[in-house]
Amino acid sequence: MDVANVIETWEAEALQVQEKLGPAGVTPPAELAGLSGMEMFKAMFAGELPQPPIGVTLDFMPIRIESGTAIFQGRPGQQHYNPLGSVHGGWFCTLLDSAVACAIQSTLPAGKAYTTLEIKVNMIRALSDATPLVRAEGTVIHVGRKTATAEGRIVGPDGKLYAHATTTCLIFDV
C-alpha cells in the first residue's frame, strides 16, 4: 500500500474512533476499580468514559486496544516543536508511554492498576509536520504479579521507524 493510501486508511480509522469517543476528562479512580483494563477501554471507546485529556493536549488518540496491544495515532505539529525546529522528544515519549502502558493495562483484571516505573526511548529520526501522521504500537512482553514490561515503536505511514521504547510498570491493588 502506498503512503497516500495508508494515510487515507489511518485518517478513516481515526474518524470512526473519534465519532464514538466522549469528551476529554478524568474518571475518579473509585469508579474504575471494578473494571478490568479491557472493560475500561471498551467503555472509553463507546463514549461511556471520557478520553484522557493528554491526547487532546498533544494531538494523539487511541485507535485500537486489544489484550496485550495498543495502537495510538498522533499528528506531529509545530505546537510540539523544540527550539531546533523539530518535534520535542517529550512528545515521542508521551505517545510511546501511552501505547506501552495501555498495552499492559489491557491485560489487568478488575482491582489492579499500574504506574510507569521506567521508560526508555530511542529516537531514531526527527519528526516534523512534514510527516502528517504517525502510529505508536505497544506490545506486552511480560505481565507478572508486581511488574510488567512492554515494548513499542513509532512508525510513519511509509513504514519508517521514528522511535522505539521499552517500559517497566508497577502493578498494584486499587
Side-chain angles (χ1 to χ4, degrees), residues 71-97:
I71 298 174
F72 281 72
Q73 183 167 294
R75 189 174 300 279
Q78 290 187 5
Q79 70 273 23
H80 308 125
Y81 278 18
N82 59 32
L84 302 174
S86 62
V87 172
H88 191 281
W91 191 84
F92 286 81
C93 188
T94 305
L95 183 59
L96 280 163
D97 186 46

Side-chain angles (χ1 to χ4, degrees), residues 41 52 54-55 58 60 62 65 69-72 89-106 114-123 135-140 148-154 163-170:
F41 289 125
I54 191 69
L58 294 180
F60 67 81
I65 299 176
T69 63
I71 298 174
F72 281 72
W91 191 84
F92 286 81
C93 188
T94 305
L95 183 59
L96 280 163
D97 186 46
S98 296
V100 295
C102 287
I104 288 171
Q105 186 175 8
S106 72
Y114 77 94
T115 190
T116 301
L117 283 174
E118 171 274 335
I119 186 164
K120 163 81 169 80
V121 177
N122 291 294
M123 287 160 256
R135 283 204 167 170
E137 304 166 355
T139 306
V140 165
T149 57
E151 60 190 359
R153 302 163 36 100
I154 293 178
H164 58 91
T166 56
T167 192
T168 303
C169 292
L170 175 68

Side-chain angles (χ1 to χ4, degrees), residues 2-168:
D2 73 3
V3 174
N5 287 339
V6 171
I7 292 170
E8 184 178 328
T9 299
W10 286 7
E11 286 179 334
E13 289 174 357
L15 185 59
Q16 288 176 342
V17 171
Q18 191 64 48
E19 287 174 351
K20 294 177 186 171
L21 287 177
V26 179
T27 304
E31 288 183 34
L32 298 176
L35 300 177
S36 71
M38 279 309 303
E39 289 169 336
M40 186 202 74
F41 289 125
K42 285 179 183 175
M44 187 177 63
F45 278 101
E48 298 163 5
L49 290 174
Q51 62 177 301
I54 191 69
V56 175
T57 300
L58 294 180
D59 202 5
F60 67 81
M61 64 183 292
I63 296 295
R64 187 170 39 261
I65 299 176
E66 298 167 355
S67 185
T69 63
I71 298 174
F72 281 72
Q73 183 167 294
R75 189 174 300 279
Q78 290 187 5
Q79 70 273 23
H80 308 125
Y81 278 18
N82 59 32
L84 302 174
S86 62
V87 172
H88 191 281
W91 191 84
F92 286 81
C93 188
T94 305
L95 183 59
L96 280 163
D97 186 46
S98 296
V100 295
C102 287
I104 288 171
Q105 186 175 8
S106 72
T107 68
L108 299 181
K112 295 288 186 180
Y114 77 94
T115 190
T116 301
L117 283 174
E118 171 274 335
I119 186 164
K120 163 81 169 80
V121 177
N122 291 294
M123 287 160 256
I124 305 304
R125 58 176 42 93
L127 261 175
S128 71
D129 59 2
T131 302
L133 294 173
V134 294
R135 283 204 167 170
E137 304 166 355
T139 306
V140 165
I141 297 170
H142 168 78
V143 177
R145 288 183 308 115
K146 297 289 182 186
T147 61
T149 57
E151 60 190 359
R153 302 163 36 100
I154 293 178
V155 296
D158 56 1
K160 285 184 182 175
L161 178 67
Y162 286 87
H164 58 91
T166 56
T167 192
T168 303

